[in-house]
Amino acid sequence: LMAGSVDFWRCCGHALYRSSHLPKMITRYSITKSGNSKTGAATINTRSTSETCPATCPHKVDGTCYAKQGHERLWWDRLDRNDGIKSGDWLWLHSQLKELKPKSGTLLRHNTAGDLSHDGNGKILQTPLRMLAGMFVESGVVPYTYTHHRQDEYNLLMVRDATAAGFTVNLSCDTEAQASKRHRQGYASTVVVAHDDERTRWRDEHGCAFVVCPAQTRDGMTCDRCRLCAKADRGAVVAFRAHGAKRKTIGRRLAAAG
């Protein structure tokens, strides 16, 4: 078996997880067969338990995480508690994805809540990420996600490798300057702007293009129709206007950061 294949990871995955050389974080996942009005009815969505989120994420620090609000919070809390929601490790997720038999090209949004598994100190775990990329590519879906883990050399390498394997990992950036820098370095990048920011398209002083999420500017647009965040080689940073009950708090933080 080839070391990079899904069959390889399926055969030795349990042994890898039990290895004393790996941290003890074993992420549980959930998966839904259809999307919502934002992502689109034909999409597949997953969640990861909340310990995957980095302590350094500003939305976690100031309590503005969108996934910790409303309906999404209810499902995420149930996943964390393992309370009446179907969930399991990556092998379970792989089996569920196989049972779904998605059509080739189906959009898969990984982590409507949660982030990439890490070592407890914000270092992205290579093995779970490779296994996710392998199973997604094998299933024929178009997978993408976002990560707010720190952007150090090692984590950026993990992001680059997963994206090159066909699993687009977007860098969630804290400022437009950071997003511009990462975009110009070749990373799929996103950033949050104030809820009342009226811009829809712009360029910064470096010529880096920004575009506000089309689902926020066009009636009837969904993630499935747009697919901009799933395109690793897109020509612009995707900007999301802050939304949800904490949008004004986010706006104040952005204003304070300049």
Side-chain angles (χ1 to χ4, degrees):
L1 295 176
M2 295 182 64
S5 70
V6 171
D7 285 335
F8 174 87
W9 296 121
R10 188 189 305 132
C11 289
C12 66
H14 282 311
L16 282 169
Y17 266 132
R18 292 170 183 165
S19 168
S20 61
H21 298 293
L22 284 179
K24 295 181 179 180
M25 179 182 290
I26 301 179
T27 303
R28 280 201 331 280
Y29 305 95
S30 66
I31 186 169
T32 55
K33 296 181 179 180
S34 61
N36 51 43
S37 59
K38 180 181 183 298
T39 58
T43 62
I44 296 172
N45 296 328
T46 72
R47 295 181 183 89
S48 299
T49 41
S50 64
E51 83 277 357
T52 57
C53 293
T56 53
C57 174
H59 301 294
K60 185 174 184 176
V61 171
D62 66 8
T64 59
C65 177
Y66 181 74
K68 280 294 186 182
Q69 305 169 44
H71 181 266
E72 185 67 26
R73 177 177 182 172
L74 297 177
W75 285 102
W76 202 15
D77 285 350
R78 288 181 64 188
L79 177 61
D80 278 348
R81 298 193 306 265
N82 197 18
D83 177 18
I85 183 173
K86 289 185 177 181
S87 64
D89 64 9
W90 77 272
L91 287 170
W92 176 88
L93 182 64
H94 186 223
S95 69
Q96 293 297 301
L97 193 55
K98 288 185 70 175
E99 286 185 16
L100 288 178
K101 298 179 180 178
K103 293 181 180 179
S104 179
T106 297
L107 190 68
L108 185 147
R109 161 77 186 275
H110 182 56
N111 287 342
T112 57
D115 207 306
L116 301 175
S117 298
H118 61 97
D119 67 350
N121 294 304
K123 181 179 180 181
I124 296 172
L125 295 179
Q126 183 182 57
T127 298
L129 182 56
R130 282 184 170 179
M131 291 189 292
L132 286 173
M135 76 170 74
F136 291 156
V137 171
E138 179 193 58
S139 69
V141 298
V142 178
Y144 73 103
T145 193
Y146 308 88
T147 182
H148 225 128
H149 283 298
R150 63 175 182 265
Q151 296 175 14
D152 58 23
E153 183 178 2
Y154 173 84
N155 282 349
L156 289 174
L157 176 61
M158 295 299 99
V159 168
R160 187 162 58 246
D161 285 353
T163 300
F167 178 23
T168 300
V169 179
N170 291 272
L171 295 177
S172 295
C173 299
D174 298 327
T175 65
E176 291 182 32
Q178 184 184 43
S180 174
K181 177 182 178 180
R182 296 309 183 197
H183 176 76
R184 287 181 281 117
Q185 291 174 337
Y187 296 95
S189 303
T190 66
V191 69
V192 173
V193 296
H195 72 282
D196 55 357
D197 193 322
E198 296 182 352
R199 297 174 297 176
T200 57
R201 291 177 178 270
W202 68 96
R203 289 184 181 272
D204 67 7
E205 66 270 26
H206 301 288
C208 179
F210 290 73
V211 59
V212 171
C213 168
Q216 293 185 311
T217 60
R218 302 181 194 175
D219 292 339
M221 181 58 69
T222 64
C223 297
D224 192 29
R225 288 182 59 195
C226 174
R227 300 196 170 208
L228 193 58
C229 291
K231 297 177 182 176
D233 59 349
R234 61 179 180 262
V237 172
V238 176
F240 296 101
R241 290 173 180 158
H243 53 289
K246 302 291 186 178
R247 62 188 182 277
K248 291 184 179 179
T249 303
I250 295 174
R252 288 191 290 269
R253 168 162 49 81
L254 293 174

